[in-house]
Amino acid sequence: MTNDTHEPQRFHAEYKVIGGKLVVADVETDGKTITEVKISGDFFLEPEEAYFDLAPALVGASVTADNANLRQRLDDVLARYGSELAMHGFSTSDIATVVRRALGSAANFTDFDWQVIRGEVLPTQVNVALDQVLLDEVAAGRRKPTLRFWEWDDTATVIGAFQSYANELRPEGVEKYGVQVVRRISGGGAMFMEGGNCITYSMFVPPALVAGLDYEESYVFLDQWVLAALKSLGVEAFYKPINDISSTGGKIGGAAQKRMRDGTLLHHATMSYDIDADKMVEVLRIGEAKISDKGVASAKKRVDPLRSQTGEARKDIIDVMADTFADRYGASFDTFTEDELEKARTLVAEKFGTEKWTHRVP
């Protein structure tokens, strides 16, 4: 005899709006549709009557509804308030996001046992290979979620997975400065990296941490600790969609991601510390379309290094970043294993150091 009675499924998620307030969702479903919702938080909403329209607007939605669908339901029911409606510290998109995170059983940073690796000085090819190795290790459960800071002393350019070698690099500059060109596994743009001129880190993230977030939201969400660290150093940093880290003084750097099929995520960022802008433009072809899109007259004016913005040594800035992450999320400090380093060196020989991979997009 079968039992057709299904117990309601209950979900909970909290979402701190970037630059805004906390939004909390408690959701019940029958496995197919949302049957009950409670939205709460420390936000501000006027008129008060509008608050009581939020939950009913979401009841009946599919458990697979995307952010746009849920947001539209909310926007439609709130439209009747017209100019009287005032939402402070959150939006209907944020409500949709927290509901999606609830239904996706999203986790918070503090739900995981994070590790931080300060790292030893390694060739850039090995650093790039380690991103693939550690992503695989976290996905397989052999390593805990990890933040690692790169260290290197060679001169290199790391290009995105889908960038054209010929379109991104100036052969004469590469030869003149002995630049090691390495293609990474994530998308995004080229990074000109001399020893000590950048701050680069990689995060290896469980799928549950970014559940319910779209790509753009995940960039900002994953780097809140960085923005907090920079603020403590006197830098008012913020994200410019999709993946630029900027400040009131100018662009600082950019981030990129790679997602595995199971959702495990590599998120990494490179920020300028003391880049030689003249040398950079001799090595990189920074197209006019990209420059004009950023609203500046030249590539050299796009970047405002952290050294000039903080007056701090590179190591001291990394100290603040690592300590901010550890303090916020209870992380412990760790090192690479010999097995991980050996896997990375093997990948350099078989993949990242080969012409086939480096020139896979000619």
Side-chain angles (χ1 to χ4, degrees):
M1 182 175 180
T2 59
N3 184 1
D4 293 330
T5 301
H6 296 283
E7 291 292 327
Q9 299 174 339
R10 297 179 175 87
F11 305 90
H12 173 87
E14 301 179 1
Y15 180 64
K16 175 65 169 64
V17 178
I18 309 305
K21 295 297 184 177
L22 180 71
V23 186
V24 181
D26 291 281
V27 184
E28 287 191 11
T29 81
D30 59 10
K32 294 182 179 179
T33 60
I34 295 173
T35 56
E36 187 175 338
V37 185
K38 179 182 178 181
I39 302 297
S40 59
D42 59 357
F43 48 77
F44 301 92
L45 175 61
E46 297 291 345
E48 184 174 336
E49 292 79 9
Y51 172 74
F52 299 98
D53 287 336
L54 299 179
L58 299 170
V59 171
S62 169
V63 296
T64 61
D66 61 13
N67 189 294
N69 180 278
L70 297 176
R71 185 177 67 245
Q72 190 62 58
R73 283 173 165 266
L74 292 162
D75 288 342
D76 287 346
V77 76
L78 294 177
R80 68 189 184 94
Y81 295 101
S83 60
E84 293 181 44
L85 182 70
M87 303 178 73
H88 300 289
F90 78 126
S91 67
T92 54
S93 180
D94 297 318
I95 297 173
T97 293
V98 75
V99 170
R100 288 298 316 142
R101 283 181 62 74
L103 293 172
S105 299
N108 295 312
F109 271 95
T110 51
D111 293 325
F112 301 99
D113 184 9
W114 285 89
Q115 296 178 329
V116 177
I117 299 176
R118 290 297 299 265
E120 58 192 88
V121 175
L122 296 167
T124 298
Q125 288 181 335
V126 176
N127 272 312
V128 171
L130 275 168
D131 272 359
Q132 180 171 322
V133 171
L134 297 186
L135 181 62
D136 291 340
E137 294 297 293
V138 171
R142 293 186 292 267
R143 169 173 279 280
K144 296 173 182 179
T146 298
L147 163 69
R148 77 161 179 117
F149 291 90
W150 294 28
E151 290 295 344
W152 69 100
D153 58 11
D154 52 356
T155 297
T157 292
V158 180
I159 60 176
F162 311 110
Q163 288 189 296
S164 163
Y165 185 103
N167 289 344
E168 297 300 324
L169 296 155
R170 300 181 186 276
E172 60 277 15
V174 170
E175 182 177 357
K176 177 179 178 181
Y177 296 110
V179 177
Q180 175 75 64
V181 180
V182 193
R183 185 182 296 277
R184 63 179 183 268
I185 60 174
S186 61
M191 301 147 47
F192 177 62
M193 304 173 62
E194 290 186 289
N197 77 345
C198 300
I199 295 172
T200 297
Y201 60 85
S202 299
M203 298 173 65
F204 306 91
V205 180
L209 186 59
V210 292
L213 300 177
D214 63 26
Y215 274 86
E216 185 173 328
E217 290 171 327
S218 71
Y219 277 100
V220 186
F221 176 73
L222 291 173
D223 276 341
Q224 283 306 291
W225 63 274
V226 178
L227 303 187
L230 292 175
K231 186 173 184 178
S232 73
L233 290 163
V235 179
E236 292 296 330
F238 52 88
Y239 251 85
K240 292 184 69 174
I242 297 177
N243 62 335
D244 279 355
I245 302 173
S246 297
S247 75
T248 51
K251 178 176 175 178
I252 298 171
Q257 293 183 355
K258 167 70 176 179
R259 300 190 183 213
M260 300 185 70
R261 288 188 176 181
D262 73 348
T264 306
L265 172 69
L266 160 66
H267 173 93
H268 67 81
T270 292
M271 293 177 287
S272 167
Y273 173 70
D274 193 21
I275 284 182
D276 184 331
D278 291 315
K279 187 183 295 185
M280 178 182 71
V281 296
E282 285 189 71
V283 173
L284 298 182
R285 299 183 189 274
I286 302 176
E288 291 181 4
K290 190 167 186 175
I291 295 171
S292 62
D293 179 59
K294 304 298 181 183
V296 295
S298 73
K300 288 190 289 187
K301 292 182 180 179
R302 291 185 61 223
V303 177
D304 190 27
L306 287 174
R307 182 176 182 179
S308 64
Q309 292 197 53
T310 67
E312 300 286 344
R314 177 179 177 274
K315 179 185 178 299
D316 293 339
I317 295 174
I318 296 175
D319 285 344
V320 170
M321 290 181 176
D323 290 344
T324 297
F325 188 92
D327 291 345
R328 278 193 162 208
Y329 308 132
S332 58
F333 288 84
D334 194 34
T335 58
F336 303 119
T337 67
E338 283 303 317
D339 182 60
E340 289 165 347
L341 288 170
E342 185 57 36
K343 286 179 178 177
R345 295 184 185 106
T346 298
L347 276 175
V348 170
E350 297 178 351
K351 180 178 180 178
F352 294 102
T354 67
E355 288 291 306
K356 181 179 180 181
W357 171 255
T358 305
H359 293 269
R360 76 167 191 161
V361 184

